[in-house]
Amino acid sequence: MIKTDTDMRKRPEPAPPSPAGDGGNGNDGVTANSVATNDGNNAHDKRTKHALHTNLKRGMESRHLQMISLGGVIGTGLFLSSGYTIQQAGPIGTILAYGIGALIVYLVMLTLGELSVAMPVTGSFHVYAEKFIGPGTGFVIAIQYWLTWTVALGSEFTAAGLLMQRWFPHTPTWIWSAACIILIFVANALSVRFFAEAEFVFASIKVFAICAFILIGLLAIFGAVPISGYDHAPLFGNLVKDGVFPNGFMPVFATILTVNFAFSGTELIGVTAGETRDPETAVPKAIHTTLWRLVLFFIGSITVMCALIPWRQAGVGESPFVLVFNSIGIPYAADIMNFVVLTAVLSASNSGLYASTRMVWSMGNEGMIPRWFAKTNRHGVPMLALCAAMAGGLLALLSSVIAASTVYLVLVALSGLSAVVVWIAIAYCQIVFRRRWIASGHTASELKYATPGYPFTSWGAFILCTASFLLVFFDKEQRFALVAEIVFIIVCYAAYFLQQWWRKRHPAQPLELH
C-alpha cells in the first residue's frame, strides 16, 4: 500500500524516488506497508498538540456505503427536471446520454476503488492529488469538491422550504428551510453512525419510490394496468414516434454534460472510505453495484416516462413522475411525489454537509488550513469543520436570495464543472499510483483491489472526463461555466502558492506537547 508522508517521517524507510508535481518534494514512494488510516493509528495524532484528537471513527458498513453513493446521485433532477432533459434530446437521445454518462461514472469509480482500498483516508481525492500530482493540485481539488457540495447545500435548503409550501402555504418558507438546516446539522453532529443511518433511511425512500414507479409503469406499458389516453397497451412506440433524434444529435451532447453533473455524488464512496468498516470489502462492493443501479434507476425511469408520455409533453410544468401516476389513477400522486422529492432534498443535504465537512477536516488534517479544523469530539465528529461547512452552506443560501443573478449564478456554474475536474484528477492519480507501484517492484496481483482492464479503463476515464470538461465550450448555454471554472482554478493555484510564500516568510512555531 501507499505510505503517507507523515508515516515516512515517523519511520524512515527507503522508497523509490518519484517526480513531484506543483513543487512537491518527491517523497511519495510506494511501499508494501499499510497506509496510516483514521481509526486510531494516524501519524498526525503523534506529531503535535494541535493534531491530537483528530481521529474519525469507522462507523459505516457496506449497506451504508451503497445507499450513500446512491443518495448522492438520486436527487431532485431525476424527479423534477428529467422531463426537460427528455424534451431537449428526445427519448432515445436521453437514454443514450444516460448510458454514456453511466459508463463514464463506472470507469471513474473503478479507478477510485483501487485508490480507496489502498489508501482508505477521509477526504481522499485531494490527498491522492497531493501525493500523485502535487500539493498545489491537492489544494485545488479540495477547494473544488468543497465548493460543489457547499453550493448544493444552499440550493437544497431553499428547495426544502419551497416543497413544504404545498402543505403549509401560509407558513413562511424560511421557517421550513431553518428546520431542514437544524435537522441535517444534528444528524451530522451526533455521530458518523447516526449520519449513515439517516442517509440510509432517506436513500431507501427514494429507491423504493423509483422501483415502484418502474414496476407500475411497466405494468401500464404492457396493458396490465389501465392508463388514461390509451385503449390498448402503449408498449414502446412513443420512444421512436418522431424519429430517433427528433431535435438532431447536438442536444444529445448537451444532455451528456447535464448527465455528468447529475451523476456527481457517486464519488462519495471515496470520501467515506476513511470511516468505513472493512473498506477492502465494502468499497469494491459498493462500486460494482453502482453501475447497474444507475442504469436501473435512471435509464429505467426515463424509458418508462418516454413510453407512457409523449416526449413533447414530458415535464411541462409538472414532474413526469406525477404525470404518470396521475394518468394511471393513483390517488394523491402529487402529494406522494412531493414527499419523495422532499426526502431527496433531505438526503442531498445530509450527504452534502457530510462531504463538505470531511473535506474541511481533511484539509485541516493535512495542514492546508489551520489544523484545529481537524479536531474531533469524543464521538469522532469534527465539530469545527462541521460548523465551517454549514456556514458555507448558509452563505450559499444567502447568495441565492440576495445575489441570485450574480454571485450565486457564478457559484452554480463553478460547482457544476468542479465534479468533473475531481473525476479527472481521480483517474490520473490512479494511473500515477499504479506506475509507482510497479516501479517499486510490486505487481498488480499484490493489490487488494486492482482496477480491472488497466490501463484502458483508467485512460478511458481520464480521456472521457477531460473531453466532457473541454467540450462544454461548444454548448453556448454552458460556455460561461467553463470560463468561470478555468478562472477559478487559476485563482485557487494562485492562492496556494501565495499561502506557501507566506508560510516560508512566517514559519509557524511548533506547539509543545503536554
Side-chain angles (χ1 to χ4, degrees):
M1 289 194 178
I2 311 299
K3 293 185 71 61
T4 62
D5 292 336
T6 316
D7 243 0
M8 301 177 90
R9 284 193 290 269
K10 180 180 173 185
R11 296 186 299 273
E13 295 180 13
S18 57
D22 302 332
N25 55 15
N27 199 22
D28 294 325
V30 181
T31 75
N33 295 304
S34 296
V35 64
T37 60
N38 305 316
D39 55 350
N41 61 347
N42 195 321
H44 282 296
D45 300 339
K46 301 182 178 68
R47 198 161 63 181
T48 59
K49 177 185 176 183
H50 55 226
L52 293 177
H53 308 298
T54 60
N55 289 327
L56 302 176
K57 292 187 176 180
R58 293 190 181 275
M60 285 187 272
E61 300 173 359
S62 178
R63 64 184 180 91
H64 297 133
L65 202 61
Q66 294 178 43
M67 280 300 184
I68 288 169
S69 177
L70 286 174
V73 178
I74 303 172
T76 56
L78 177 61
F79 294 114
L80 298 179
S81 306
S82 49
Y84 175 78
T85 304
I86 294 170
Q87 283 186 329
Q88 294 297 109
I92 299 298
T94 303
I95 293 171
L96 177 62
Y98 273 96
I100 295 174
L103 174 62
I104 293 174
V105 169
Y106 188 56
L107 294 178
V108 173
M109 295 291 285
L110 291 176
T111 62
L112 177 60
E114 182 172 312
L115 294 168
S116 296
V117 171
M119 297 172 288
V121 292
T122 299
S124 57
F125 314 132
H126 83 86
V127 177
Y128 303 152
E130 181 180 2
K131 289 179 64 64
F132 299 116
I133 303 177
T137 302
F139 178 82
V140 171
I141 293 300
I143 297 297
Q144 292 269 314
Y145 199 66
W146 171 82
L147 181 70
T148 297
W149 285 107
T150 296
V151 175
L153 273 177
S155 61
E156 300 297 348
F157 292 152
T158 301
L162 294 174
L163 288 166
M164 292 300 292
Q165 286 287 299
R166 176 178 179 83
W167 297 314
F168 304 95
H170 303 298
T171 306
T173 302
W174 69 265
I175 291 180
W176 295 111
S177 295
C180 174
I181 291 169
I182 294 171
L183 174 64
I184 298 304
F185 183 86
V186 171
N188 278 262
L190 291 178
S191 69
V192 68
R193 178 79 181 194
F194 193 90
F195 153 77
E197 291 294 351
E199 187 58 29
F200 184 84
V201 172
F202 291 149
S204 296
I205 293 173
K206 293 190 292 186
V207 169
F208 176 80
I210 294 173
C211 290
F213 175 79
I214 294 174
L215 177 60
I216 295 172
L218 286 174
L219 291 175
I221 288 172
F222 291 104
V225 173
I227 181 171
S228 63
Y230 297 93
D231 54 6
H232 61 279
L235 299 179
F236 298 99
N238 281 331
L239 295 180
V240 292
K241 185 177 181 180
D242 296 313
V244 178
F245 301 112
N247 293 331
F249 189 76
M250 284 307 294
V252 178
F253 165 70
T255 303
I256 291 175
L257 304 178
T258 304
V259 168
N260 280 341
F261 303 152
F263 281 165
S264 61
T266 50
E267 70 287 333
L268 271 171
I269 289 177
V271 176
T272 60
E275 294 175 273
T276 302
R277 296 175 184 173
D278 190 19
E280 297 169 4
T281 301
V283 171
K285 184 177 180 181
I287 287 171
H288 285 298
T289 58
T290 295
L291 179 65
W292 70 261
R293 288 182 177 180
L294 287 178
V295 170
L296 172 65
F297 296 149
F298 281 87
I299 298 181
S301 297
I302 295 294
T303 302
V304 168
M305 290 176 201
C306 295
L308 295 177
I309 306 172
W311 67 277
R312 295 186 187 276
Q313 301 175 17
V316 180
E318 195 170 18
S319 165
F321 279 73
V322 175
L323 285 175
V324 170
F325 282 153
N326 279 334
S327 299
I328 294 174
I330 295 178
Y332 306 106
D335 287 313
I336 292 172
M337 286 313 304
N338 199 61
F339 171 74
V340 172
V341 174
L342 179 61
T343 303
V345 166
L346 293 174
S347 173
S349 301
N350 199 35
S351 295
L353 184 57
Y354 171 84
S356 183
T357 298
R358 267 44 182 191
M359 197 55 62
V360 174
W361 174 89
S362 187
M363 286 191 288
N365 198 46
E366 296 296 317
M368 294 181 174
I369 58 178
R371 291 190 183 276
W372 40 268
F373 278 108
K375 297 279 188 180
T376 57
N377 61 19
R378 61 191 181 92
H379 299 293
V381 177
M383 288 302 298
L384 288 173
L386 177 62
C387 291
M390 179 58 81
L394 294 178
L395 288 174
L397 174 61
L398 181 64
S399 69
S400 71
V401 176
I402 64 174
S405 62
T406 54
V407 176
Y408 190 68
L409 182 63
V410 174
L411 291 177
V412 170
L414 292 174
S415 66
L417 276 175
S418 291
V420 181
V421 172
V422 172
W423 292 356
I424 294 171
I426 290 171
Y428 187 71
C429 285
Q430 189 271 329
I431 292 170
V432 176
F433 163 77
R434 180 68 75 88
R435 284 177 176 173
R436 294 185 186 178
W437 178 261
I438 299 299
S440 63
H442 296 287
T443 62
S445 60
E446 295 178 59
L447 292 167
K448 294 184 178 179
Y449 176 79
T451 299
Y454 175 88
F456 304 106
T457 301
S458 308
W459 280 110
F462 178 80
I463 293 171
L464 288 173
C465 288
T466 303
S468 297
F469 179 81
L470 295 177
L471 293 177
V472 172
F473 178 80
F474 295 100
D475 184 358
K476 294 181 180 179
E477 294 184 2
Q478 301 188 68
R479 191 174 297 166
F480 165 74
L482 179 63
V483 175
E485 175 67 13
I486 292 174
V487 171
F488 184 66
I489 290 174
I490 294 172
V491 170
C492 287
Y493 272 111
Y496 170 78
F497 288 114
L498 181 62
Q499 178 195 67
Q500 294 301 104
W501 173 82
W502 178 265
R503 286 182 174 180
K504 287 181 180 179
R505 292 179 62 91
H506 303 84
Q509 297 298 319
L511 297 178
E512 296 181 1
L513 296 174
H514 295 289

